[in-house]
Amino acid sequence: MNAIEEVARRAGVSRATVTRVVQGHRYVSAGTRARVQQVVQELDYRPSSAARTLASGRAGALGVVLGGPLDPESATWVAAVERATRLTGRALVVRTVPDGCPGSLTRAVQELAAQQVDGIALLCPSQEVDLPRLRDAAGTVPLQSAHDWEGEHNTWTSSGVLAVRHLRSVGHAVVHVVVGDPEAARAQALLRRSTVGPSTARVRVVTVGRDPAGTGPTVATALATSGASAVVAESDRTAWHLLSDLRRLGVRVPEDVALVSCGDAPGAAFSRPGLTVVRHHLAGPATRLVDGLLHGPAVRPPSAGPPDVELVVRGSCGTTAGRLAAAG
Amino acid sequence: MNAIEEVARRAGVSRATVTRVVQGHRYVSAGTRARVQQVVQELDYRPSSAARTLASGRAGALGVVLGGPLDPESATWVAAVERATRLTGRALVVRTVPDGCPGSLTRAVQELAAQQVDGIALLCPSQEVDLPRLRDAAGTVPLQSAHDWEGEHNTWTSSGVLAVRHLRSVGHAVVHVVVGDPEAARAQALLRRSTVGPSTARVRVVTVGRDPAGTGPTVATALATSGASAVVAESDRTAWHLLSDLRRLGVRVPEDVALVSCGDAPGAAFSRPGLTVVRHHLAGPATRLVDGLLHGPAVRPPSAGPPDVELVVRGSCGTTAGRLAAAG
DNA sequence: ATGAAAGCGCTAACAA
DNA sequence: TTGTTAGCGCTTTCAT
């Protein structure tokens, strides 16, 4: 006999009523509700999510597809999305696409979409993604990319503004921004507003390629010969490699070049000098992303709440230690 | 009309046959199979996983519950499990339990077990877990803890042996091992064999508590006053904090104390000195964990294959840079 | 090698 | 406020 039916029988009601109680519906008399809940307890009744999904058409889960490995950097985002998802009572299915190539991404999205999830969050920091194509693969399942999300209010856009503004404010007229693929979503976001507004400094983009370690020396050399005095790195890993490559060239950080990076990985404080970073607070963005997936994008961009980015000053930028928050 | 029924109709077969073809069953004539596959292509037919789960009783997913946040350290494990899971064609559901308390863990396991997954991997590095209780909560769903897994062949056990052996081999007769909670699964595993075998050195355990940053100075002081000359840290974070706390006390690393940590987080190479670490290769362990969940634990412990741990020598241990691999 | 038919456990109209 | 009923889309015996 069905679990739900057993509950119904013992409580002397119909299955429908059990469903109503379990789902917290209105229109159940207090007495009935109590009786049913009692039986639910006794029997330790747990609805089968598969049956529920099949009958309701809702999956009770969200998916996240990572266009790359689940490395410590992406983990931060995944963690935030997981939390936001859990708070809605849903499960989070994680799918990585180590090679990050378009075909694999598409397949991953299709697989997730195949009834498994109610929405898909895309986390592809380092590559260009064809959103329309992926939306198509997702069929009716909503899909949002964390990096294109919220336009000007995007975490990375705010990071760029904050980092450049800080370096500008301490006297650097030209700021070099080091990114992997300049076409990638994250880099695009980072650069979106770096060059405008009161924080204006001349910004030059320097490209590293997919692997921060790969072309490091070349980049460091380029930076050194172009006389760069201020650098923003897209990630802590890039910053670390820059740090060590620059040292190898005899360029001192922060004396000769001031360095700010984005992320604040656990080791960021422990390199020498410690990395000045733009730290990301992802609770807000992740929550909005999840809500957007579930209820459609918000009509208006977020306004209230604590800022999503914060400057943590350590040794690498050559200014006094401390913190600066900004609304981006 | 059912998707599968439509396929069946167009291919001129029954639904059962479509199922057989889709699942790669034997006993389908080549002709029939081809015809069905043709139609499957045309219609881009994707079986509903909910319906499949309901009808078959198999979920097509594995779950991982994290007894703590999804931080960069756990991310490495999750990534490995995700990969292993994906290679079996299954999805991975991630559930964190930020507070890590027994009640929450139990609830998390119950939720996952409620029809959602075919097996659960437990990742609780920093706390004692009551495995029987959690198994009970999981009901019929198999559950394994990554940290109790494989006994002597456990990754952390091997790490302990390797780290202590190395320090011993360069002349340290006493090795201090710094762990969070000594009752926690990871610490237990780390210490399991550190004190025995040809690598014998006297091992003293020093406890940090849950947060590596929390009691750091105290621990560093204790280490300094006890005249420790060699230290193994349970994690890179612990090691970093130790590094900075020791420096503050005027204790030099590696001149005064040699330090080895476990993990090899992205920043490990960039602290000064760089951290000598035991790096973990989790592909093997994760694969075996997943297989164990799916087909029951292997009869015999793993023997072949590359070692799961590797010593990466950098500055912090005071020996020449290089690498040493060991079968643990 | 293939088909028929009985569910898997629950939800959601609709009726009462 | 509660019960009735018709599925949700697929798998799996059991026959053939």
Side-chain angles (χ1 to χ4, degrees):
Chain A
M1 173 182 298
N2 273 343
I4 195 177
E5 203 162 323
E6 175 70 11
V7 174
R9 205 177 53 69
R10 293 221 203 176
V13 298
S14 70
R15 290 185 338 240
T17 299
V18 174
T19 290
R20 287 180 192 118
V21 170
V22 168
Q23 302 190 345
H25 256 269
R26 299 180 296 270
Y27 303 133
V28 185
S29 71
T32 305
R33 163 162 293 137
R35 207 148 20 91
V36 171
Q37 279 170 335
Q38 168 69 22
V39 178
V40 164
Q41 289 285 312
E42 283 172 19
L43 267 46
D44 190 30
Y45 165 68
R46 300 172 170 289
S48 145
S49 65
R52 183 189 295 235
T53 298
L54 185 56
S56 70
R58 279 170 263 115
L62 251 38
V64 54
V65 356
L66 282 169
L70 176 55
D71 55 25
E73 282 176 51
S74 330
T76 314
W77 251 104
V78 173
V81 171
E82 195 272 342
R83 189 188 142 79
T85 303
R86 180 159 36 79
L87 294 181
T88 72
R90 260 157 269 247
L92 210 227
V93 179
V94 174
R95 175 70 153 84
T96 68
V97 183
D99 68 12
C101 84
S104 314
L105 274 178
T106 306
R107 224 165 321 120
V109 167
Q110 285 178 331
E111 286 175 24
L112 275 182
Q115 185 77 287
Q116 210 133 97
V117 300
D118 294 319
I120 297 175
L122 246 202
L123 250 39
C124 297
S126 323
Q127 56 254 170
E128 252 184 294
V129 298
D130 185 348
L131 223 44
R133 177 176 170 186
L134 292 178
R135 288 241 164 79
D136 191 65
T140 60
V141 178
L143 180 152
Q144 296 285 0
S145 160
H147 295 286
D148 292 340
W149 188 240
E150 298 188 326
E152 310 255 310
H153 297 269
N154 183 96
T155 315
W156 289 93
T157 301
S158 306
S159 300
V161 172
L162 186 52
V164 171
R165 181 195 297 165
H166 178 68
L167 289 168
R168 176 71 180 111
S169 76
V170 297
H172 299 279
V174 179
V175 174
H176 291 246
V177 180
V178 178
V179 300
D181 175 0
E183 299 302 321
R186 184 174 62 183
Q188 291 273 315
L190 184 64
L191 297 168
R192 192 173 300 150
R193 292 210 313 133
S194 309
T195 56
V196 303
S199 57
T200 303
R202 264 176 65 209
V203 167
R204 290 202 192 127
V205 179
V206 179
T207 302
V208 165
R210 261 296 188 61
D211 178 8
T215 51
T218 314
V219 172
T221 306
L223 248 20
T225 59
S226 73
S229 77
V231 173
V232 174
E234 188 182 4
S235 73
D236 293 326
R237 300 198 44 173
T238 304
W240 280 322
H241 283 283
L242 236 31
L243 213 53
S244 97
D245 293 332
L246 287 171
R247 172 163 34 231
R248 205 162 290 136
L249 296 175
V251 177
R252 293 164 307 164
V253 174
E255 294 83 351
D256 302 326
V257 349
L259 180 61
V260 174
S261 89
C262 302
D264 200 22
F270 298 98
S271 59
R272 300 294 301 268
L275 293 182
T276 289
V277 300
V278 176
R279 179 185 292 172
H280 294 177
H281 298 286
L282 298 178
T287 302
R288 296 193 294 272
L289 180 60
V290 166
D291 283 358
L293 248 16
L294 258 23
H295 316 300
V299 187
R300 297 168 54 77
S303 45
D308 298 330
V309 297
E310 172 193 19
L311 189 72
V312 180
V313 177
R314 293 197 271 247
S316 71
C317 67
T319 54
T320 321
R323 285 183 198 180
L324 289 162
Chain B
M1 173 181 296
N2 274 342
I4 195 177
E5 201 162 324
E6 175 71 14
V7 174
R9 205 176 53 69
R10 294 221 204 176
V13 298
S14 70
R15 297 196 321 254
T17 298
V18 175
T19 291
R20 288 181 190 115
V21 170
V22 169
Q23 301 191 346
H25 257 269
R26 300 179 297 271
Y27 303 133
V28 184
S29 71
T32 306
R33 162 161 293 134
R35 205 146 24 87
V36 171
Q37 279 171 335
Q38 168 70 23
V39 178
V40 163
Q41 289 284 314
E42 284 172 17
L43 267 47
D44 190 30
Y45 165 69
R46 304 175 166 288
S48 145
S49 65
R52 185 191 295 245
T53 298
L54 185 57
S56 70
R58 280 168 264 115
L62 251 37
V64 55
V65 357
L66 281 169
L70 175 56
D71 53 27
E73 281 176 53
S74 331
T76 314
W77 252 103
V78 173
V81 172
E82 194 273 340
R83 190 187 141 79
T85 303
R86 178 157 39 76
L87 294 181
T88 72
R90 260 157 271 247
L92 211 227
V93 179
V94 174
R95 174 70 153 86
T96 68
V97 183
D99 67 14
C101 83
S104 315
L105 274 178
T106 306
R107 222 165 322 120
V109 167
Q110 286 178 332
E111 286 175 24
L112 275 182
Q115 184 78 287
Q116 210 133 98
V117 300
D118 293 320
I120 298 176
L122 248 201
L123 250 39
C124 297
S126 323
Q127 56 255 169
E128 250 184 297
V129 297
D130 184 349
L131 223 44
R133 176 175 171 186
L134 292 178
R135 288 242 164 77
D136 190 66
T140 60
V141 178
L143 180 152
Q144 297 284 0
S145 160
H147 294 286
D148 293 338
W149 188 239
E150 297 186 325
E152 310 255 309
H153 297 270
N154 183 94
T155 315
W156 288 93
T157 301
S158 306
S159 301
V161 173
L162 186 53
V164 171
R165 180 194 296 163
H166 178 67
L167 289 169
R168 176 71 180 112
S169 77
V170 297
H172 300 277
V174 179
V175 174
H176 291 245
V177 180
V178 179
V179 301
D181 174 1
E183 300 301 322
R186 184 174 61 183
Q188 290 273 315
L190 184 64
L191 297 169
R192 192 172 300 151
R193 293 209 314 133
S194 308
T195 57
V196 303
S199 57
T200 302
R202 264 176 67 210
V203 166
R204 293 204 190 125
V205 178
V206 179
T207 302
V208 165
R210 264 296 191 58
D211 179 8
T215 51
T218 314
V219 171
T221 307
L223 248 21
T225 60
S226 73
S229 77
V231 173
V232 174
E234 187 182 5
S235 73
D236 293 325
R237 300 199 44 175
T238 304
W240 281 322
H241 284 283
L242 237 31
L243 213 53
S244 96
D245 294 332
L246 287 170
R247 172 162 36 232
R248 205 163 291 136
L249 296 174
V251 177
R252 293 164 307 165
V253 174
E255 294 83 351
D256 302 325
V257 349
L259 180 60
V260 174
S261 88
C262 303
D264 201 22
F270 299 97
S271 59
R272 300 296 300 272
L275 293 182
T276 289
V277 299
V278 177
R279 179 185 291 172
H280 295 178
H281 298 286
L282 298 179
T287 302
R288 295 193 295 271
L289 181 60
V290 166
D291 283 356
L293 249 16
L294 258 23
H295 316 301
V299 187
R300 297 168 54 77
S303 45
D308 299 330
V309 296
E310 172 193 18
L311 189 71
V312 180
V313 177
R314 293 197 271 248
S316 70
C317 68
T319 54
T320 322
R323 286 184 197 179
L324 289 162

